[in-house]
Amino acid sequence: MRAKGRVGEPLPTPFSQLAALRAFARRGQMGLTAAASGGGKTAFWCHWVMNGRYDDIYPIPTLYFSSDSDTATVGVRTAQGVFGCTQDEAEKRLAEPGGWEAFHEATEHVWWDFQVAPTLEHMNEEIEAYAIANGEYPHLIVVDNLMDVDSGYGADEGSNQREALLWGASKARETGAHVHFLHHVTGENVNGDRPIGKRDILNKVDKRPRIIYTAWQDPEMPGYLQLSVIKNSNGSAKSDGSLYVSIPWLPERAWMG
């Protein structure tokens, strides 16, 4: 199967704030976004998947492993972004004639997988199935989230996660996709209300990713998601989380700006 694009080519981002820092998710590389539970990491990547455009027209061909949320939850959350409405309004729109058809048309560039605790073998098979069905590998592979991946190490959480990241780096090179993992934090930042740095990443799995973002919320800036760039092989970063951008965010409408 073919893998379009050059290794290192940036994926289109809907966030001009990140582009200004050259903090891109790049083809053929692996990245990670860490945040507290409910801290906005899934919302951030769902918005990127739905709104990133080549030439402002073509969406990013994406394979999204969503082991952390089920079909109904992701469907309604994504529909909020598609229709620009609240959760209750999205559920009503989907129940109306033509609602699901409009949703599927807006999300046809995304191949969803909802396997609980996916193994590396399962993810390999899903990537190959995508390639067979579409004639090329996805440009973006999102794994939501790292903690749920079964890499064959049983209860050894750290080894499981490091093996999954090794797989992700290898798969990015093999397919030309950007492979991105979502992950949790630990220590003082479990509340996600201050800058999150490398030391706060659960199990210290910061060695292999080429780009690492951390998402947090400043109590004094409601209506914004703070996005720190703590590692960036091709641009600016600060490992303590002190380099960040402020992204307008209305979680009740699954909207970011």
Side-chain angles (χ1 to χ4, degrees):
M1 293 297 166
R2 37 196 188 103
K4 287 184 177 178
R6 305 182 309 274
V7 171
E9 177 185 4
L11 289 178
T13 175
F15 301 109
S16 59
Q17 305 95 323
L18 291 180
L21 296 177
R22 298 192 60 78
F24 296 110
R26 296 176 182 271
R27 301 282 302 278
Q29 297 182 1
M30 187 257 293
L32 183 141
T33 297
S37 295
K41 55 187 178 292
T42 297
F44 171 72
W45 273 99
C46 280
H47 185 86
W48 193 325
V49 166
M50 294 304 301
N51 294 278
R53 292 285 190 276
Y54 290 108
D55 301 321
D56 296 323
I57 299 174
Y58 305 105
I60 304 169
T62 300
L63 172 54
Y64 199 115
F65 291 99
S66 180
S67 60
D68 201 39
S69 300
D70 59 26
T71 309
T73 301
V74 172
V76 171
R77 180 185 292 155
T78 306
Q80 287 179 253
V82 171
F83 299 131
C85 60
T86 65
Q87 179 176 338
D88 289 343
E89 291 168 344
E91 291 176 351
K92 291 178 181 177
R93 288 286 298 273
L94 290 174
E96 293 174 353
W100 276 108
E101 286 78 3
F103 170 82
H104 286 305
E105 181 178 350
T107 61
E108 64 181 357
H109 64 289
V110 186
W111 179 302
W112 302 94
D113 180 86
F114 294 97
Q115 178 71 33
V116 176
T119 63
L120 301 184
E121 180 181 5
H122 170 80
M123 293 197 292
N124 282 332
E125 291 173 350
E126 203 69 12
I127 291 168
E128 292 305 317
Y130 178 104
I132 292 170
N134 292 279
E136 67 169 329
Y137 288 111
H139 295 195
L140 172 63
I141 299 170
V142 180
V143 182
D144 186 1
N145 62 58
L146 178 58
M147 184 178 291
D148 293 335
V149 176
D150 178 3
S151 301
Y153 282 86
D156 188 344
E157 187 177 89
S159 294
N160 252 320
Q161 293 170 10
R162 284 186 285 273
E163 183 68 17
L165 291 173
L166 178 61
W167 169 89
S170 174
K171 194 57 61 174
R173 293 186 184 185
E174 176 188 335
T175 64
H178 176 81
V179 178
H180 205 92
F181 290 85
L182 278 56
H183 193 37
H184 292 288
V185 297
T186 187
E188 297 178 356
N189 275 324
V190 291
N191 294 325
D193 58 0
R194 65 186 73 180
I196 296 171
K198 280 187 180 181
R199 68 178 183 177
D200 303 307
I201 296 176
L202 184 64
N203 291 320
K204 313 298 183 192
V205 290
D206 59 277
K207 297 295 188 291
R208 292 193 180 278
R210 301 291 297 277
I211 183 84
I212 302 179
Y213 311 111
T214 60
W216 52 284
Q217 297 169 61
D218 185 341
E220 297 183 1
M221 292 186 64
Y224 286 87
L225 181 71
Q226 312 301 334
L227 207 288
S228 294
V229 183
I230 68 169
K231 185 176 181 181
N232 183 6
S233 297
N234 302 97
S236 303
K238 290 288 185 66
S239 63
D240 63 355
S242 60
L243 178 66
Y244 61 89
V245 297
S246 299
I247 299 173
W249 183 28
L250 297 178
E252 68 274 12
R253 290 184 175 271
W255 176 86
M256 288 187 179

